[in-house]
Amino acid sequence: MVSEFDLITRYFNRPTRHTVLGVGDDAALLALTPGHELAASTDTMVEGVHFFPDVNPESLGHKVLAVNLSDLAAMGATPKWAMLALTIPKADEAWLEDFARGFFALAAEHDVDLIGGDTARGPRNICVQILGEVPRGRVLRRDGAKVGDDVWISGHVGDAAAAVAHLKGDLRLRGSLLTHCLARLDRPAPRVALGRQLVGVANSAIDISDGLVADLGHICERSAVGAVIEFAAVPCSAELMQLRGHVLVTRAILTGGDDYELCFTAVAERRSEIEALSGQTGLALTRIGNIVAGKGVGVVDPAGKPMSVKDGGFDHFR
Ligand code: ADP
Ligand code: MG
């Protein structure tokens, strides 16, 4: 049977590109670019909670890194290093190979070095820590939203939660709609380039991991403001459009998690600049509402009537 050390060497010790000392010693050693601050974040994925036991390991390797990259994207930081704490029930080499393939493909795409981690036996649990850099004093934060700001989101929301509703048996998706939603759930694309471009443009930002209303709510809370968004302005994919009026799909769009788009706020004078960013990157950027005095996130229907948003988002302890 393969030992812990063989396993690390075989699957997780890869050449690094911008690291003083990576896997193999008691700690990794990093050199920061002068004039920058270190941004650090971590996210855990637990079998049965964040992913289904039979999930494709390559997708899981992608996703556990993607959700961490997304956090740095929301800060406007450039991800550079990752650490991987892996707890697995057994040394299943086919599983590890697929997992590592998914992980390293995305790491290469974002020029991220895997610099260390930990490996243990137990119920499957995967924890990634991500480290990146941001020019000193320039980071995007949740607490910068100002009354009057426009609220924007990148891409579109709802697909991942629609896929989860399908997998739970609550919603039936078929054919290309199902394929599309599952791909959005399994292979989120962290908006790292956009986050960097929003530095100096946005007043506040967050990534949408728990649902639009809940995550915009975090911006509001930290900024001591409220927000009003128009449901009709919130973009969903062309694929999901036909089901937009279905109560579970409406809920997926407003409160479904796992989209990993960015939600940000900016003054109205920045509109043309933000539209130009969208043109450059080919990523849709849509104005969905405004920051207002008060607290909490309100959603209005096309008639301007408040919509009740029952489930504010995903919360593990509620
Ligand atoms: P220690 O006993 O000092 O904690 P380990 O035996 O846990 O060291 O790890 C040996 C080396 O392998 C360290 O550099 C550690 O960071 C790295 N490592 C362990 N597990 C992983 C993993 N899953 N992915 C990447 N690096 C790992
Ligand atoms: Mg260790």
Side-chain angles (χ1 to χ4, degrees):
M1 220 189 93
V2 60
S3 77
E4 176 188 332
F5 297 101
D6 292 342
L7 188 154
I8 295 166
T9 308
R10 203 171 299 168
Y11 299 106
F12 299 112
N13 191 353
R14 302 278 173 101
T16 56
R17 297 160 59 101
H18 42 68
T19 301
V20 182
L21 190 61
V23 171
D25 215 309
D26 291 309
L29 207 54
L30 319 172
L32 285 190
T33 309
H36 288 64
E37 288 166 328
L38 184 66
S41 182
T42 187
D43 250 312
T44 295
M45 295 186 66
V46 179
E47 183 170 289
V49 178
H50 300 95
F51 58 90
F52 295 96
D54 61 349
V55 74
N56 175 319
E58 187 171 350
S59 297
L60 192 60
H62 172 102
K63 187 158 178 176
V64 72
L65 181 58
V67 303
N68 278 275
L69 292 172
S70 179
D71 282 321
L72 287 203
M75 303 296 284
T78 302
K80 295 190 73 169
W81 303 283
M83 303 190 83
L84 171 65
L86 190 63
T87 305
I88 44 176
K90 59 181 193 306
D92 177 341
E93 296 203 57
W95 192 93
L96 282 163
E97 200 171 312
D98 288 349
F99 175 86
R101 189 182 317 114
F103 185 96
F104 283 109
L106 188 64
E109 200 180 302
H110 291 277
D111 200 19
V112 165
D113 286 347
L114 181 66
I115 57 165
D118 201 16
T119 306
R121 184 191 298 263
R124 195 169 278 129
N125 177 311
I126 304 157
C127 179
V128 168
Q129 182 183 27
I130 190 88
L131 302 162
E133 295 184 322
V134 63
R136 183 168 296 139
R138 308 266 291 160
V139 81
L140 294 174
R141 302 166 51 137
R142 296 179 179 185
D143 63 4
K146 302 280 186 299
V147 172
D149 276 5
D150 293 323
V151 176
W152 296 79
I153 63 169
S154 66
H156 47 258
V157 288
D159 294 327
V164 171
H166 172 90
L167 293 172
K168 285 183 170 166
D170 298 336
L171 188 68
R172 271 214 47 195
L173 306 179
R174 263 181 295 245
S176 61
L177 173 59
L178 177 59
T179 312
H180 167 83
C181 289
L182 287 174
R184 290 269 297 171
L185 176 66
D186 287 345
R187 299 283 179 134
R191 305 307 188 188
V192 174
L194 173 64
R196 265 200 312 254
Q197 289 168 323
L198 290 175
V199 168
V201 175
N203 278 346
S204 68
I206 192 166
D207 68 318
I208 304 176
S209 54
D210 295 334
L212 173 60
V213 168
D215 288 318
L216 178 56
H218 295 316
I219 285 186
C220 290
E221 207 176 295
R222 299 293 299 231
S223 303
V225 294
V228 176
I229 60 179
E230 292 169 43
F231 176 64
V234 179
C236 71
S237 61
E239 288 85 348
L240 209 56
M241 197 62 181
Q242 45 178 323
L243 290 179
R244 197 178 161 98
H246 188 297
V247 60
L248 289 179
V249 174
T250 300
R251 197 178 292 165
I253 291 167
L254 289 173
T255 68
D258 272 326
D259 289 306
Y260 300 99
E261 295 293 347
L262 294 185
C263 176
F264 57 96
T265 77
V267 295
E269 288 71 28
R270 297 283 189 177
R271 280 180 196 170
S272 53
E273 210 175 326
I274 292 167
E275 277 151 16
L277 281 183
S278 168
Q280 281 165 35
T281 55
L283 178 62
L285 299 176
T286 309
R287 237 171 343 111
I288 60 168
N290 285 95
I291 296 296
V292 297
K295 61 197 271 193
V297 177
V299 184
V300 295
D301 71 10
K305 275 207 344 233
M307 288 168 68
S308 97
V309 181
K310 267 217 233 71
D311 181 5
F314 191 73
D315 180 328
H316 285 269
F317 297 103
R318 218 166 39 189

